[in-house]
Amino acid sequence: METLSENACFGGKQGVYRHTSAACNCDMTFGLFLPAEAQDGPVPVLWYLSGLTCTHENAMTKAGAQAWAAEQGIALIFPDTSPRGEGVADDEAYDLGQGAGFYVNATQEPWAPHFNMWDYIAEELPALITENFPIDPDRQSITGHSMGGHGALTLAMNLPGRYRSVSAFAPISNPTGADWGRKQLSAYLGDDEANWAKHDASLLMRDVGFQGPVLIDTGASDQFIDLLRPEELSQAIAQKRQQAVVRLQPGYDHSYFFVSTFMEDHVTFHAEHLWA
């Protein structure tokens, strides 16, 4: 693992690191914020999964999460959204290929050799981080924005017991029923829609739900709200009688101005359950 940068940040340290990924068959980069408490021993961790076109850097520099994480004494992990580099398949469209991994394990060509973001986020990167940094693997929560909100919700419901809480900012809530989802799931997983279900938060919520608390914020003025389909997830939560807070925020769009506005709420929400 290579250290690309380390900077003092709110009494802790914001680092950026690169390593060779076996899951993605290329070099991958991630950001990790450690609060001051990490100097004394392992700390809880909140995963932040970013959205379409993002790298590890977008939320790390725009979301304002470190201030609130430092206040709560928890670490933050900012993974990349896809494999990258020479020889990694890509597409001219912004919503497929590099920057658009969708947090799945691709089975179709040309994506299968590298696009294994599910295994990367669920298995490889957690093992790497707990081996090299003072992170408590028994105290993990997860959040994300847009495509990353989709990833956070689907990982949380597919990995029972892994995360103490889950939240999402403007998640792609029903990808099997929207253009943000059907295009990517077909490309990465093939045309058999039975293989898509484990990657749809609304379907998973109706089927299995989540064993802990859920918080979801979406901007009521989000320019992509018809692609996000928040109403499908809300209905599934009601049908499942899932413990959840679901909010539509008047006037807010899909940008990091929206994410940063409500970041304190989300970090505080997770800290309550990470330190319980």
Side-chain angles (χ1 to χ4, degrees), residues 10 46-50 58-72 74-78 142-146 167-170 215 217 247 249 252 255-271:
F10 293 102
L46 175 60
W47 291 77
Y48 183 99
L49 306 186
S50 289
N58 294 72
M60 191 179 78
T61 59
K62 295 180 180 179
Q66 292 93 336
W68 310 118
E71 186 174 290
Q72 299 291 346
I74 63 177
L76 298 166
I77 301 173
F78 303 100
I142 192 166
T143 187
H145 174 225
S146 194
S167 73
F169 301 85
L215 172 62
D217 278 310
R247 308 186 297 194
Q249 302 292 358
Y252 285 91
S255 70
Y256 267 95
F257 296 111
F258 155 67
V259 173
S260 61
T261 297
F262 298 100
M263 181 56 71
E264 179 184 8
D265 289 358
H266 284 246
V267 173
T268 302
F269 164 77
H270 290 295

Side-chain angles (χ1 to χ4, degrees), residues 138-152:
D138 295 324
R139 294 176 182 266
Q140 299 187 63
S141 291
I142 192 166
T143 187
H145 174 225
S146 194
M147 178 185 74
H150 141 80

Side-chain angles (χ1 to χ4, degrees), residues 141-144 149-150 152-157 163-171 173 201-202 204-206 208-218 230 233-234 236-238 240-247 265-266 268-270 272-273:
S141 291
I142 192 166
T143 187
H150 141 80
L153 291 166
T154 56
L155 281 156
M157 285 186 276
Y163 307 105
R164 296 196 174 192
S165 51
V166 60
S167 73
F169 301 85
S173 299
S202 296
L204 282 167
M205 183 60 71
R206 290 189 178 95
V208 298
F210 179 65
Q211 76 279 14
V214 178
L215 172 62
I216 299 171
D217 278 310
T218 302
L233 183 56
S234 294
I237 286 170
K240 191 64 176 178
R241 298 177 180 172
Q242 168 72 43
Q243 177 188 0
V245 175
V246 181
R247 308 186 297 194
D265 289 358
H266 284 246
T268 302
F269 164 77
H270 290 295
E272 176 184 348
H273 303 289

